[in-house]
Amino acid sequence: MPRAHVDPDRLRRDLESLLGARRVSMREGDLDTYARDMWPRLLLARRDGRPPDHLPFAVVWPEHPRELVALVKLARALRVPIIPYGGGSGVCGGVVPVHGGITVDLKRMTAIRAVSRDELVVDVEAGVNGERFERELRRRGYTFGNFPSSIYCSTVGGWLATRAAGQLSTKYGKVEDRVAGLTVVTGRGELVETDGPSRAMHGPDWTQLLLGSEGTLGIIASARLRLAPAPQLEVYRGFEVDSVAQGCEAIRRVLQRGLRPAVVRLYDEFDTFINSLGKRAPTGDAAAHGAPRGATPGYGAPHDDGLAPLPAPGEGALPVLPRPDPAASDGGGDDDGVIGKLLALARGKKRGLRQEAIGLALGNARLLNRVADRVARRGCRMVIGLEGSRIRTEVEAALVFAELAHAGARDTGEVAGRAWLAHRYAVSYRMSPTFRDGAFVDTMEVASTWERLQDLYHSVREAIGRHAVVMAHFSHAYPDGCSIYFTFAAHGDDLAEARRLYDAIWRDGLEAATRVGGTISHHHGVGLLKAPYMTGEHREAMSVLHALKRSLDPDDIMNPGKLGLGAPRAADAAAKGGRA
Amino acid sequence: MPRAHVDPDRLRRDLESLLGARRVSMREGDLDTYARDMWPRLLLARRDGRPPDHLPFAVVWPEHPRELVALVKLARALRVPIIPYGGGSGVCGGVVPVHGGITVDLKRMTAIRAVSRDELVVDVEAGVNGERFERELRRRGYTFGNFPSSIYCSTVGGWLATRAAGQLSTKYGKVEDRVAGLTVVTGRGELVETDGPSRAMHGPDWTQLLLGSEGTLGIIASARLRLAPAPQLEVYRGFEVDSVAQGCEAIRRVLQRGLRPAVVRLYDEFDTFINSLGKRAPTGDAAAHGAPRGATPGYGAPHDDGLAPLPAPGEGALPVLPRPDPAASDGGGDDDGVIGKLLALARGKKRGLRQEAIGLALGNARLLNRVADRVARRGCRMVIGLEGSRIRTEVEAALVFAELAHAGARDTGEVAGRAWLAHRYAVSYRMSPTFRDGAFVDTMEVASTWERLQDLYHSVREAIGRHAVVMAHFSHAYPDGCSIYFTFAAHGDDLAEARRLYDAIWRDGLEAATRVGGTISHHHGVGLLKAPYMTGEHREAMSVLHALKRSLDPDDIMNPGKLGLGAPRAADAAAKGGRA
């Protein structure tokens, strides 16, 4: 970059000579579809009927690593960007073709090779759908252990390119912890196999360099992934604690004793409260999604074909609080009275009234967040799950529950735990209805050590809360720290206002996270959204990343602008322009 | 490289102006000492009274990361190599100054910062001695879990630079699995902090790039390392199986069920046999080292100051078989008769006779290895150890032992397990006496998946066995594979003959390992010894490593020639010259 002029006819001819006409598209509809992922900032414009700011020149569907090599070599010759594309479920704009280019959809590369009994690893191509991958493994008696809420619409390659994490990461780790080797086509057009499982690691490990590189260094073609035996037993229970701080301390103690539950979730007071409303609202009832209470959905015995239920269209919209009393619109006043009215409305059955209230309610974020503070005294709910071989899981569950009780957590029973399990993928499908209602919603996942975790929670919550209604849960807990997942909702009267608000939330939230030593991302990746904050987090180490980028992608064709890498001026301009 | 001419007086002046005269040495004795590590090929020359082939220009002892930055900047300006130096306990020539240069001894950088109760991580400087590090952690109630047999004479920085593994790696992982972040001075002279523990990983991970880089990309100044609580309980037992294949299958089943013993060791038939001889020989008795049988040596309760006992000087020389009957010196003949005589001599008490026999015995490797095949019917011993919190360890031990019994392993009791624990560091000190006797001994640690492990064992054993007496044990077991640790001994009449033999063993052994898909190293690193075999293992991926090297060390000053990187012609020449 700067790019040579690209002649569309020549590009089409060159691509078709590599892949054939059926696997190359320059149709408007395809270019429009591949211009975005699920980044809410793009969805805002989409809702407004605006065309994408950036379109790819072409979309291609390769089927073999050697075709990836040929594509990269062609792109180098033409000086045209390459944008690898998996499921398109990312939420940070990682696939936006900010300089145009060839979008390489990997979804035709879906081979899952045999799992040898002896190895506990599987070779899998990057384009395979996450849910299909896990289902295939279960049929054979194994699990990969990665269950992101996007599992139905994300790919294995996308997980690897973004260092994804699933809901059971406390037991199974993030995806980067389970990779034995990668096959990658670098920006030089070289096909490289990083250490395979037959090769214990020695020398520098470039597997970990390529994981999380979001297509900026190369295209991940396939991977050897470490598996675990499918669990024989799943144990889930709900708990309740008085406060976020007490809950975090309880979780820390469990993990630092060497115990490894699979799922650890702690909801803050507001999230707990909102969830309790949803339980009673006619459309929000979890049971409406069709799963029998107490049953284990999803992956059961090897021959169980049942999938975790998806919510019906329109179901499960983010429960929001209704319109506040205008007399108490801001600042002082009789909060208790207002809260009483809000609660009454929220528990009512008039769906129309509830929906209508969204705009006004979200427009009054400070008041709603103060409601959250008031309901804080109601405590926080937790969900703890364990899985694995029968005897060990029984023993570990007993030890975990005893440690939690010792830390003051109150057992609320199995049903409370199983209810989460039954609807664990539903949250992803709650975003669109909210957008239809004129508001927007997004999530911010940050992380830190246990020591700084309360600081991180309060700082980021306060920063987001200036602009939006915000709630949070703690999940993805590790012996040394934990991630916090903030969900926020706000409302802008028009696109410009919504974007201004959206950008302010992210700016203030991530600056708050960096200030207290938190990370700007735990598992959603960086993409365009967080690119401007990479230097704040990595400081001097960014120069290492820039040097590596120059080595592996000397022509700067690999997904430029993502991770704050490549075509710096253009990418900065895009990011700043986006924010202006 | 090629280097500018270096004026020694100017170099001394420049170094002294950075560090002061007391922390710079160009004395002959110091240069000689820092010319080598414990690579047996160098020890052969040393025994012969030969001076080192390569000397550093100077040795320096920095005390602060900013001094490391200044040193690298000076070295860049002068175009003089930098060789980072830890304990000097490496066995692959990783610190040999093949182009001269400044040897940077890190042993004055030894701070161990406080372990926060909340974090389970510790900041530690690279030069701290391994045993002191672990002892400090135990005093505070923690363990790092890395127990290489070199623990008394290796440093934390050396562990990180070579991706070391300890005897308990099946539970705690290799060192690279326990690193939250590094502080590194790159070959550009930049001080870089890779992701710290407050930062969940995202984007490419350069921590894993720098681990195992053996000083070729930068100097590791300090690290944040993940800790575990000190164990409350240690359980050790011995087992016996009929064959290596049966033992491997038993271990694989244990690990793939999700069980994690800390120590898993399986000795092949010859190693088992040799060990049984040692048990009965007057000087080889384990109890002679002073540890009470059945007691837990080393790190016990937080206030236990006891260290694992070191062998007394001259004790514990590698037990070898005595002189064979010349009439049956090679090929056919009455093996049973010969073996009977060998056994009788081996069990005898005449130390002089045993020592004198070494040369002749080792000179007849094929015969001795055939003896090994004969004694194979005696079966293989195993040592299994578990440690951790009390209840979980008890439960896990019961499950592990049940699984082993199910796989046909016979329990030989607690004493058999504890005997290994009592002398776990002794083997490192058995090398020197063997060298004194005119023979040489070395170890080759390779690894593969379970599927290829038997192939790897037989291929490498056969390849080494053409030249040397060879025995092996399996340790460092993981769900996807295991390492094999070959110990071999041979004898050359003079230095040239010994080196020829030594090089042939390594060439044939590593070529055999590569042929069957094994790795050329598990935890000893690469250094000079295995540099010529890096391309055979990594193939196309070596180009990535070369590109990274150019990025982070543009002047090629960082430990050139190691890992097959830097100054390629000169390094190749050195390696080939060494081998010629």
Side-chain angles (χ1 to χ4, degrees), chain B residues 238-253:
Chain B
F239 287 84
E240 211 170 58
V241 287
D242 292 335
S243 66
V244 157
Q246 187 192 19
C248 287
E249 177 61 13
I251 296 168
R252 186 189 68 77
R253 287 169 60 150

Side-chain angles (χ1 to χ4, degrees), chain A residues 34-95:
Chain A
Y34 283 89
R36 71 175 72 75
D37 55 14
M38 294 293 286
W39 187 15
R41 196 172 196 282
L42 302 175
L43 300 183
L44 282 172
R46 180 82 174 157
R47 184 187 63 193
D48 231 42
R50 290 255 294 251
D53 292 336
H54 309 285
L55 288 175
F57 305 148
V59 183
V60 297
W61 291 269
E63 292 178 345
H64 194 278
R66 67 175 168 264
E67 294 180 344
L68 296 177
V69 170
L71 284 167
V72 171
K73 287 183 173 167
L74 175 64
R76 285 192 77 174
L78 299 177
R79 298 183 70 72
V80 166
I82 290 267
I83 301 102
Y85 198 102
S89 65
V91 291
C92 302
V95 297

Side-chain angles (χ1 to χ4, degrees), chain B residues 108-130:
Chain B
R108 291 179 77 93
M109 294 177 63
T110 59
I112 304 173
R113 301 218 176 76
V115 180
S116 129
R117 188 190 70 110
D118 275 358
E119 298 219 29
L120 275 193
V121 294
V122 67
D123 283 279
V124 57
E125 286 189 323
V128 77
N129 172 271

Side-chain angles (χ1 to χ4, degrees), chain A residues 487-524:
Chain A
T487 300
F488 54 86
H491 182 274
D493 288 332
D494 56 27
L495 178 61
E497 166 65 11
R499 281 199 161 170
R500 190 198 56 73
L501 199 56
Y502 183 85
D503 294 341
I505 291 168
W506 277 99
R507 182 193 61 228
D508 292 356
L510 292 187
E511 282 178 4
T514 302
R515 203 162 48 239
V516 298
T519 175
I520 59 172
S521 174
H522 174 266
H523 60 279
H524 284 176

Side-chain angles (χ1 to χ4, degrees), chain B residues 110-117 120-124 128 132-143 227-230 300-304:
Chain B
T110 59
I112 304 173
R113 301 218 176 76
V115 180
S116 129
R117 188 190 70 110
L120 275 193
V121 294
V122 67
D123 283 279
V124 57
V128 77
R132 192 194 136 221
F133 178 54
E134 181 65 23
R135 190 148 38 94
E136 273 297 313
L137 294 176
R138 287 299 171 107
R139 212 171 48 76
R140 304 172 195 184
Y142 302 97
T143 180
L227 306 178
H303 296 289
D304 177 1

